Amino acid sequence: MLIDMTTPLFHVDAFTERAFAGNPAGVCVLEDEREDAWMQSVAAELNLSETAFLRRTGPSWSLRWFTPIVEVDLCGHATLASAHALWESGRADAAARLEFDTRSGRLAASRNSDETVELDFPSEPAAPDSLPDGLLEALGVLPESVRWTGRNRLDLVVELEDESAVRALAPQFSALGDACGGTRGLIATARSSGADFDFVSRFFAPAAGIDEDPVTGSAHCCLGPFWAKRLGKETLVGYQASKRGGTVTVRVAGSRVALSGRAVTVARGEIL
């Protein structure tokens, strides 16, 4: 007798209004707890920057995120993708505020009238700090182009002299992964030279199996307070200048940040 043991799977592009842009995430909706090794194997099989695993736990949802090689503490785009998948598939009421229990505490998502999704995330400000030896060489920048360096609990941060310097980065990923040490990755940022965005950024995490992440919501938990202080604004618009590219609106509110963006479902299926 064939027993149905399938797991619903969604492929969602987050922080974009159109398919094949923004940051792709896998979303698996689980009926029961699964072993960590199984979830890691699924994430490796899908080979997306993150795959989210959701499980209903009373009024909230348990949410975990895996790259192809490790579990991570915080992920914005896969949380946005998860909320989008739950609403779109009818597993959650379209007007419901969703709450997620994660390794970074209780997170939430709500749907705005313009169909954007707003995430309630912790602020992750960076403090000034020197960079590990060899990091600038691996990043491919000269010291004189660096305006500020620091780190938060997740990542290293480098502010470069201008937007063109951020866009021109061509890291040596193996060396960069070694130089990032015990951190998740590196945020490179600069003030935007145009009127459409307040700042630009790129995010590299080769040690976590992601050479360059297309659009990193959790990095904006750091970039929001960083640029709010420098530009004197509470609400900012950031553009992540990866090959796919994506836009994140950030509103800084004390110890929390609100990250806003759109999402598009690209595919639906089942894990057998």
Side-chain angles (χ1 to χ4, degrees):
M1 182 176 64
L2 180 65
I3 300 175
D4 186 4
M5 294 290 288
T6 59
T7 298
L9 172 65
F10 302 85
H11 181 124
V12 178
D13 288 344
F15 292 116
T16 180
E17 298 180 356
R18 59 185 177 87
F20 316 124
N23 201 353
V27 179
C28 296
V29 183
L30 307 177
E31 291 294 330
D32 303 297
E33 290 191 48
R34 301 300 297 263
E35 294 181 354
D36 291 4
W38 181 85
M39 289 187 283
Q40 187 63 77
S41 294
V42 170
E45 180 76 12
L46 297 178
N47 200 32
L48 300 171
S49 55
E50 268 91 10
T51 298
F53 296 88
L54 288 162
R55 183 172 55 84
R56 171 72 88 170
T57 54
S60 62
W61 295 81
S62 169
L63 174 60
R64 297 172 70 178
W65 313 278
F66 289 79
T67 78
I69 63 172
V70 295
E71 184 174 8
V72 295
D73 290 337
L74 188 63
C75 179
H77 87 278
T79 304
L80 191 157
S82 296
H84 174 83
L86 291 175
W87 287 318
E88 188 178 66
S89 68
R91 289 175 170 82
D93 185 272
R97 171 184 165 92
L98 303 178
E99 296 189 337
F100 304 102
D101 295 314
T102 76
R103 287 169 61 154
S104 289
R106 177 66 62 89
L107 310 178
S110 54
R111 204 174 196 178
N112 297 323
S113 58
D114 62 356
E115 298 299 311
T116 58
V117 180
E118 182 173 288
L119 304 177
D120 178 2
F121 266 45
S123 177
E124 299 283 356
D129 200 354
S130 59
L131 296 177
D133 292 341
L135 191 141
L136 289 182
E137 291 83 354
L139 194 58
V141 300
L142 298 174
E144 52 265 33
S145 70
V146 176
R147 288 191 169 181
W148 188 90
T149 65
R151 71 172 67 206
N152 64 6
R153 74 179 180 98
L154 301 170
D155 305 308
L156 300 167
V157 185
V158 178
E159 181 191 359
L160 299 180
E161 57 186 345
D162 55 34
E163 178 175 335
S164 62
V166 173
R167 290 180 176 272
L169 290 174
Q172 300 173 19
F173 291 116
S174 178
L176 183 62
D178 292 339
C180 283
T183 62
R184 181 182 64 167
L186 172 75
I187 304 167
T189 188
R191 186 169 181 171
S192 176
S193 59
D196 293 336
F197 308 106
D198 294 294
F199 61 89
V200 298
S201 67
R202 291 173 69 184
F203 182 77
F204 309 103
I210 308 164
D211 284 349
E212 180 168 5
D213 197 34
V215 193
T216 315
S218 59
H220 288 75
C221 296
C222 173
L223 291 165
F226 181 88
W227 286 109
K229 181 177 180 181
R230 284 157 177 77
L231 301 179
K233 301 173 67 174
E234 289 185 353
T235 301
L236 308 103
V237 180
Y239 180 73
Q240 193 154 330
S242 66
K243 183 177 180 179
R244 291 172 66 103
T247 302
V248 183
T249 299
V250 191
R251 178 169 49 82
V252 180
S255 64
R256 308 293 292 182
V257 297
L259 309 176
S260 298
R262 296 177 181 269
V264 179
T265 300
V266 175
R268 302 184 189 94
E270 297 174 330
I271 300 174
L272 302 179

